[in-house]
Amino acid sequence: MGTTLTQISGQLLFAAFILYLIAIFFLGGAIKQKKGLEQNNQFKKKNISSFLGISFTILGFISQASYFILRWIAGGHAPVSNMFEFITFFSIMFVGAYIIIYFIYRSHVLGVFTLPIVLVIIAYGSLFPKDITPLIPALNSEWLYIHVMTTAAGQGVLAISFIAGLIYLIKNIDQSKKDKKTFWLEAVMFTVITTIGFILITVTFNLANYETEFEWQTKEGEVSKQVYHLPPIVGPNEWEYVSGNTMEPLVEMPAIIHAQRLNSVLWSFIAGTILYLLVRLIARKRVAALIQPSLKRVNSELVDEISYRSVLFGFPIFTLGGLIFAMIWAQISWSRFWAWDPKEVWALITWLFYAAFLHLRLSRGWHGEKSAWLAVIGFGIIMFNLIFVNLIIAGLHSYA
């Protein structure tokens, strides 16, 4: 029974992916109306593109929420205990936040940017093991649901501020000249494309069942193994081939460097750079400049307001989940509220950053472009915490 529910939940997640993909095209059609709906902050008339766009988005959200519920039933616990589960739940909260924002502000362009990022997040999550495993003792608590799910909900709302801020910057930064603004905005676009490129190449090698296993001796004298699912550009220190494809690493890494993870980073950069250069070669202009004309009818004040309101509502939710509930659970589990664990430290850094965002917005009048840059940087911190801190920095949260 559990296996059947798991399979059905996986199919529902894939259905959500397809529904979001369809929704992007209809929402994109809605923003091409002669009178942009964003300019008036309300519908002047009903149109089929906008109706179908938000309808497919809601259907995708329902499908993804159903995946979550069925997986919960199949596993007997909330599916937020590993990277695949947390990332997919975060994407649910991301879409849920957008749907709420849509019915407040009627912004189609926000969906055109939100849903592709959601698809990238879902695709990234699918790269991790999807098996349902019993909870380890440290996670076997109702605080798992309270802490993790509230944190993901807060991050999902905060992510909307990034989308609105990015739209603001693409629309308003002058692309006719080269300066620091265009450079850093293009760096953001390159990062997004790099992520897409990494997912594409990883999925390609996964479909080809590529696998190479190496082993080496640790400083403690133990034999350790690493399985590569991408061709080994770099290999472990004093590696020995075990099984799989026979391509040898080009460079051997020192023992202090995790060669497999570095190999993934290198492939991400290579694939992303190739994809980015292809876009630049075909378009013959910066990626931001390529997108900018489609945003000429977007109301800059509206997206600035959405960015601010998203932080205003997302910040207290994240405060509850990422700090308060986390400290309560830490006290119950480990008899201390705080231990300077890397995950705890970066949760605090995230909180301090968004606290500074609100302070600068309300007290110093940082509206418009300054506020948009802060929103983009804030999302970068969230992604750093999600990816780098979880996967590379060892700590009490490494089980994630």
Side-chain angles (χ1 to χ4, degrees), residues 212-216 226 228 230-241 247-264 266-267:
T212 301
E213 185 174 356
F214 298 104
E215 66 179 24
W216 75 100
Q226 283 184 359
Y228 282 58
L230 292 170
I233 299 175
V234 295
N237 183 254
E238 298 182 358
W239 58 270
E240 290 184 9
Y241 171 78
M247 175 179 171
E248 295 186 358
L250 302 178
V251 181
E252 183 178 296
M253 289 292 101
I256 61 172
I257 295 178
H258 195 293
Q260 183 190 30
R261 291 169 182 168
L262 177 59
N263 192 67
S264 296
L266 291 174
W267 272 110

Side-chain angles (χ1 to χ4, degrees), residues 82-226:
N82 56 45
M83 282 293 287
F84 167 70
E85 294 175 343
F86 180 82
I87 290 172
T88 49
F89 182 72
F90 168 61
S91 67
I92 295 174
M93 295 296 97
F94 199 167
V95 176
Y98 164 67
I99 292 173
I100 294 172
I101 292 293
Y102 174 84
F103 284 107
I104 296 174
Y105 294 100
R106 303 294 184 178
S107 177
H108 302 94
V109 68
L110 200 69
V112 175
F113 279 75
T114 297
L115 294 182
I117 299 297
V118 168
L119 294 181
V120 170
I121 291 172
I122 294 174
Y124 175 69
S126 69
L127 301 177
F128 293 92
K130 305 175 184 63
D131 297 334
I132 298 178
T133 56
L135 292 176
I136 64 174
L139 293 178
N140 194 11
S141 168
E142 66 274 8
W143 284 100
L144 169 69
Y145 321 146
I146 300 172
H147 158 55
V148 179
M149 294 173 69
T150 308
T151 301
Q155 291 178 336
V157 179
L158 291 172
I160 295 294
S161 69
F162 158 71
I163 299 297
L166 184 61
I167 293 171
Y168 186 97
L169 293 174
I170 294 175
K171 180 183 186 296
N172 292 282
I173 289 181
D174 186 2
Q175 294 293 331
S176 64
K177 58 183 179 181
K178 294 182 179 180
D179 55 18
K180 291 182 179 179
K181 294 179 182 179
T182 56
F183 172 80
W184 287 113
L185 179 58
E186 197 64 13
V188 172
M189 303 309 298
F190 172 77
T191 302
V192 173
I193 292 176
T194 296
T195 305
I196 295 173
F198 172 67
I199 291 171
L200 290 175
I201 197 166
T202 302
V203 170
T204 300
F205 279 101
N206 281 346
L207 291 175
N209 294 318
Y210 184 92
E211 185 176 290
T212 301
E213 185 174 356
F214 298 104
E215 66 179 24
W216 75 100
Q217 194 170 30
T218 65
K219 292 180 179 180
E220 293 76 20
E222 299 177 353
V223 176
S224 184
K225 295 183 179 181
Q226 283 184 359

